[in-house]
């Protein structure tokens, strides 16, 4: 029987990671794979990173997707610039989950729009058509008179025939009500009582 080579416990006993967050486990795996490929680094369980994490009860160890705050980059209306730190040792699924959690956290700001952005229609263009109907009705037009007064817009007016003009008003009003609530949240997040300047000041 050949003589067994010495093998430290840190090389193979990863039970210390059983209660670690999955982000740290992903990093440990990538670290150890890279060692197999010749990184020349010590075992992960002997690394300074592991010691810092374990000494702190694994709090704040490894990350995935971490927001570092807003950037100073000029943005268009409805846009914000953010800086992120990405931990590329994490698998795609983990990064997507964490970014999804970050997006969920933005719902309180009122900026996050559910799909579709303005109510029940599956396509945003459908809601825009319903807004067209509401505006035409408010100016006294019916489907027939709109077609007569705006013959050059015949194709678009005909597309409005597929929509119930009675329910269109209710759906647009519901969408506007939801948006008003969103704008109140946006004002709270901006620390301002003027959402117009906050959203459109850079337009």
């Amino acid at each position: 029987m050949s003589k067994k080579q010495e093998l430290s416990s840190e090389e193979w006993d990863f039970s210390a990671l059983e209660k670690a967050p999955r982000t740290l486990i992903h990093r440990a795996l990538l670290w150890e794979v890279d060692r197999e490929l010749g990184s020349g680094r010590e075992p992960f369980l002997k690394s300074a990173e592991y010691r810092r994490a374990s000494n702190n009860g694994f709090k704040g160890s490894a990350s995935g997707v971490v927001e570092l705050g807003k950037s100073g980059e000029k943005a268009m209306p409805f846009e914000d610039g953010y800086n992120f730190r990405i931990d590329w040792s994490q698998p795609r699924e983990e990064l997507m989950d964490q970014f999804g959690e970050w997006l969920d956290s933005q719902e309180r700001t009122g900026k996050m729009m559910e799909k579709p952005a303005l109510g029940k229609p599956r396509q945003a263009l459908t809601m825009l058509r319903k807004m067209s109907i509401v505006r035409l009705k408010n100016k006294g037009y019916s489907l027939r008179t709109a077609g007569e007064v705006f013959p050059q817009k015949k194709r678009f007016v005909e597309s409005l025939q597929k929509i119930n003009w009675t329910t269109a008003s209710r759906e647009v009003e519901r969408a506007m009500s939801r948006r008003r609530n969103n704008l109140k949240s946006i004002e709270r997040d901006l620390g301002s009582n003027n959402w117009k300047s906050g959203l459109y000041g850079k337009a």
Side-chain angles (χ1 to χ4, degrees), residues 42-56:
E42 70 276 18
F44 183 78
L45 295 179
K46 286 187 174 181
S47 69
E49 178 175 353
Y50 173 75
R51 287 197 300 273
R52 285 194 302 270
S54 61
N55 290 339
N56 196 33

Side-chain angles (χ1 to χ4, degrees), residues 4 11 31 60 64 66 70 87 130 134 158 164 169-170 183 193:
K4 293 183 175 62
E11 295 274 1
W31 182 291
V66 177
K70 289 188 176 182
D87 180 354
K130 293 187 177 185
V134 170
E158 288 178 347
N164 186 313
S169 298
R170 291 199 295 268
L183 292 173
N193 59 0

Side-chain angles (χ1 to χ4, degrees), residues 3-14 32 35-36 42-43 45-46:
K3 185 178 180 180
K4 293 183 175 62
Q5 296 183 4
E6 187 175 335
L7 185 67
S8 68
S9 62
E10 291 86 359
E11 295 274 1
W12 64 272
D13 181 4
F14 300 110
E32 293 298 330
R35 288 184 66 231
E36 292 293 319
E42 70 276 18
L45 295 179
K46 286 187 174 181

Side-chain angles (χ1 to χ4, degrees), residues 62 83 105 153 183 188:
N83 293 315
S105 74
K153 305 295 183 182
L183 292 173
R188 286 195 297 270

Side-chain angles (χ1 to χ4, degrees), residues 9 27 91 129 155 174 183 198 203:
S9 62
R27 287 182 68 83
R129 288 192 174 101
R155 189 175 67 84
R174 283 197 295 268
L183 292 173

Side-chain angles (χ1 to χ4, degrees), residues 114-122 127 171 175 178:
E114 295 181 5
K115 185 181 180 182
L118 285 173
K120 187 176 180 181
R122 297 179 65 183
M127 181 57 82
E171 291 192 26
R178 286 193 294 270

